[in-house]
């Protein structure tokens, strides 16, 4: 029996037209949902900004000679309010009518909740760092493909005031435009807030989730008669003088004790014998560099030993790598290679279970005059984890601030490295308790 092909062809064409019309309708709906714009874009020169790191808001300041530029704009999204994800690498500043971005580095992205608060970049692929706002609004920074993949921005809100901070190595041009996600917005210059009290009031209000209200006029302060008699009492002033002397004495004693511990750590010279002292060195101003050198092309007289140590390090021969790094430093290295040798020697000693020696080496690398960002970043990351495990919060915060200064989007240490540091800290505390008992019990 012969089959008529005309009805089949007609049905096929009808189905194809329906599919194409549905696809066009769906594309039009998605285009309407994804339509967005940024209004009221402003530019402000700010002395610092607050960024979320390790569950706390931390203040970041520009490097010496650099400038922080904060741009704000009201992001309005049509449809269901879904925006992105868009690559943050497309964000930049354009000077005048030019289309080439100026040398402005994007440091952080956040939202305005009374004052601009900024999120930190997520660690690893498939992770995201998100913040819930009021009225079911949300902002998130995420990575999709790999640990070193591009950072993406996604929001879910019909309207949100977006904030970005850029760092410039020089003074900003007189006229700037803001580019993001293949769109360009003009920027109007806004005066920076100069009142610290107003900033603190706004910050407190944003932390509590309440809007800042106008403060009532301050009442005049008057001292009641009993307080006048107490203030005029010689006994009160004598007690205050004694308290001030005790405070000064405790501060002087603390500084002397710290200098003594640093001198002991310096004499140990980061060798494995330093583990017998069981004293972790502390962070000083010399271990917090502000500027970093560029890696030199030559390593100096000890370059051959340095390369041999690198080969042993890759093979996991920690003892051989440690010895060769020490030999390279003794023979002589150029300043940048010497800083790298101390940092890598700290890695070998940490893997060889010498926590105190590794800490000395990392601090020695940070105090080198030729320290590079490549040597300082791993040293600061390892030291931040070590001090955090030892509950030396002030030292850990200094190293976290140094790591954020070098690279605010740097990844944290992996779980295996953190587990190794936690185990070594536990062993060190056990050795300290054993030493104290040995001293008490003859």
């Amino acid at each position: 029996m012969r089959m008529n092909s005309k009805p089949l062809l007609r049905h096929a064409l009808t189905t194809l037209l329906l599919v194409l019309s549905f696809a066009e309708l769906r594309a039009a709906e998605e285009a309407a949902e994804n339509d967005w714009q940024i209004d009221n874009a402003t530019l402000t020169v700010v002395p610092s900004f607050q960024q979320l790191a390790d569950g706390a808001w931390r203040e970041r300041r520009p490097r010496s000679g650099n400038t922080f530029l904060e741009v704000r704009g009201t992001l309005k999204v049509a449809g269901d309010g879904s925006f992105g994800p868009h690559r943050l690498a497309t964000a930049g500043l354009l000077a005048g009518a030019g289309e080439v971005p100026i040398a402005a580095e994007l440091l952080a992205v956040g939202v305005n909740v009374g004052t601009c608060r900024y999120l930190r970049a997520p660690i690893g692929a498939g992770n995201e760092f998100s913040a819930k706002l009021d009225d079911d609004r949300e902002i998130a920074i995420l990575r999709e493909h790999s640990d070193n993949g591009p950072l993406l921005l996604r929001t879910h809100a019909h309207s949100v005031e977006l904030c970005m901070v850029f760092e410039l190595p020089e003074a900003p041009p007189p006229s700037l435009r803001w580019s993001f996600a293949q769109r360009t917005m003009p920027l109007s210059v806004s005066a920076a807030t100069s009142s610290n009290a107003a900033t603190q009031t706004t910050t407190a209000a944003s932390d509590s989730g309440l809007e800042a209200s106008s403060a009532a006029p301050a009442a005049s302060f008057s001292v009641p008669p009993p307080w006048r008699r107490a203030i005029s009492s010689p006994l009160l002033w004598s007690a205050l003088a004694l308290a001030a002397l005790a405070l000064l004495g405790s501060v002087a004693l603390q500084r002397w004790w710290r200098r003594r511990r640093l001198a002991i750590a310096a004499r140990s010279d980061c060798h494995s014998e330093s583990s017998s002292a069981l004293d972790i060195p502390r962070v000083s101003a010399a271990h917090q560099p502000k500027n970093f050198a560029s890696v030199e092309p030559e390593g100096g007289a000890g370059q051959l030993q340095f390369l041999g140590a690198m080969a042993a390090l890759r093979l996991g021969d920690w003892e051989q790598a440690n010895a060769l790094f020490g030999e390279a430093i003794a023979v002589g290295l150029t300043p940048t290679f010497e800083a790298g040798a101390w940092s890598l020697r700290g890695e070998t000693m940490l893997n060889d279970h010498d926590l105190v020696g590794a800490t000395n080496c990392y601090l020695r690398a940070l105090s080198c005059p030729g320290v590079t960002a490549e040597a300082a970043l791993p040293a600061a990351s390892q030291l931040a984890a070590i001090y955090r495990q030892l509950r030396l919060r002030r030292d850990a915060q200094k190293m976290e601030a140094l790591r954020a200064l070098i690279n605010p989007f740097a990844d944290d240490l992996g779980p295996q490295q953190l587990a190794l540091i936690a185990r070594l800290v536990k062993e060190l505390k056990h050795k300290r308790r054993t030493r104290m008992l040995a001293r008490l019990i003859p």
Side-chain angles (χ1 to χ4, degrees):
M1 183 177 62
R2 186 177 179 181
M3 182 178 296
N4 191 356
S5 61
K6 289 184 178 180
L8 293 177
L9 181 59
R10 185 167 54 251
H11 287 308
L13 290 174
T14 304
T15 304
L16 181 60
L17 290 174
L18 288 175
V19 170
L20 290 176
S21 61
F22 178 80
E24 290 177 357
L25 178 61
R26 184 63 179 172
E29 291 177 355
E30 290 180 355
E33 290 177 354
N34 293 333
D35 190 22
W36 60 274
Q37 62 183 13
I38 295 180
D39 296 333
N40 304 322
T42 60
L43 170 71
T44 309
V45 178
V46 294
S48 63
F49 66 93
Q50 298 285 334
Q51 186 176 27
L52 184 62
D54 298 330
W57 293 105
R58 306 192 185 280
E59 185 180 26
R60 292 192 54 195
R61 295 186 175 275
R63 287 170 284 190
S64 178
N66 291 8
T67 304
F68 278 172
L69 294 182
E70 185 179 79
V71 294
R72 302 184 184 183
T74 304
L75 173 63
K76 297 180 180 180
V77 186
D80 62 354
S82 296
F83 172 76
H86 291 289
R87 295 183 61 172
L88 287 175
T90 62
L93 296 177
L94 308 177
E99 296 299 329
V100 179
I102 64 174
E105 180 184 3
L106 177 63
L107 294 187
V109 180
V111 292
N112 185 7
V113 286
T115 183
C116 281
R117 292 296 182 90
Y118 294 90
L119 303 180
R120 191 178 175 187
I123 306 302
N127 294 335
E128 69 177 53
F129 206 111
S130 61
K132 295 285 186 179
L133 308 176
D134 55 347
D135 300 329
D136 296 328
R137 297 185 301 165
E138 183 182 17
I139 180 173
I141 302 176
L142 64 151
R143 296 182 192 269
E144 286 187 347
H145 304 299
S146 65
D147 292 352
N148 297 323
L151 288 172
L152 306 172
L153 173 66
R154 185 186 68 229
T155 65
H156 186 79
H158 288 95
S159 178
V160 62
E161 188 167 359
L162 193 64
C163 302
M164 293 186 182
V165 168
F166 296 86
E167 185 175 19
L168 273 72
E170 55 189 6
S175 176
L176 287 173
R177 291 177 297 141
W178 182 14
S179 66
F180 181 52
Q182 286 76 47
R183 297 194 185 182
T184 304
M185 289 70 67
L187 287 169
S188 61
V189 179
S190 173
T193 303
S194 59
S195 172
N196 293 333
T199 303
Q200 294 173 359
T201 303
T202 306
T203 303
S206 64
D207 287 343
S208 62
L210 302 176
E211 294 181 356
S213 59
S214 301
S220 59
F221 181 75
S222 59
V223 180
W227 282 104
R228 289 197 185 100
R229 292 194 297 270
I231 290 175
S232 61
S233 173
L235 183 61
L236 174 64
W237 292 107
S238 300
L240 289 176
L242 290 175
L245 289 175
L247 179 62
L248 291 175
S250 63
V251 171
L253 181 61
Q254 182 182 12
R255 290 184 176 178
W256 172 82
W257 178 249
R258 184 176 181 179
R259 286 196 299 267
R260 182 175 179 273
R261 295 184 64 179
L262 289 175
I264 294 174
R267 286 195 300 269
S268 66
D269 200 26
C270 170
H271 292 294
S272 59
E273 289 81 359
S274 62
S275 295
S276 62
L278 303 182
D279 289 328
I280 289 289
R282 306 294 294 275
V283 179
S284 67
H287 306 128
Q288 302 174 68
K290 303 299 181 183
N291 300 307
F292 304 95
S294 300
V295 179
E296 295 167 302
E298 298 293 335
Q303 183 172 353
L304 184 61
Q305 291 84 350
F306 182 90
L307 296 176
M310 291 288 293
L313 182 64
R314 285 191 292 268
L315 294 174
D317 190 350
W318 314 124
E319 184 176 356
Q320 178 68 10
N322 182 20
L324 287 174
F325 278 128
E327 185 177 347
I329 295 171
V331 172
L333 292 170
T334 55
T336 58
F337 271 76
E338 182 180 355
W342 283 115
S343 181
L344 292 170
R345 195 180 187 191
E347 180 181 347
T348 62
M349 299 188 83
L350 188 65
N351 284 286
D352 203 22
H353 301 176
D354 185 357
L355 184 68
V356 180
T359 305
N360 276 309
C361 286
Y362 286 135
L363 291 175
R364 186 68 178 269
L366 294 177
S367 64
C368 285
V371 61
T372 62
E374 291 80 4
L377 181 59
S381 300
Q382 300 281 5
L383 288 172
I386 292 172
Y387 288 127
R388 197 182 305 115
Q389 284 292 334
L390 289 168
R391 299 187 183 279
L392 301 174
R393 297 180 179 178
R394 184 172 298 178
D395 297 85
Q397 289 173 358
K398 292 177 181 178
M399 291 296 98
E400 289 166 355
L402 179 59
R403 181 181 63 182
L405 173 65
I406 301 169
N407 186 355
F409 295 105
D411 294 342
D412 286 335
L413 299 181
Q416 294 181 349
Q417 193 73 0
L418 293 175
L420 172 62
I421 292 174
R423 179 163 59 86
L424 295 179
V425 168
K426 185 177 180 180
E427 293 176 357
L428 179 66
K429 291 180 179 179
H430 177 72
K431 292 178 181 178
R432 285 178 174 175
R433 288 192 294 268
T434 303
R435 184 181 64 176
M436 291 179 63
L437 291 174
R439 290 178 178 177
L440 294 174
I441 301 174

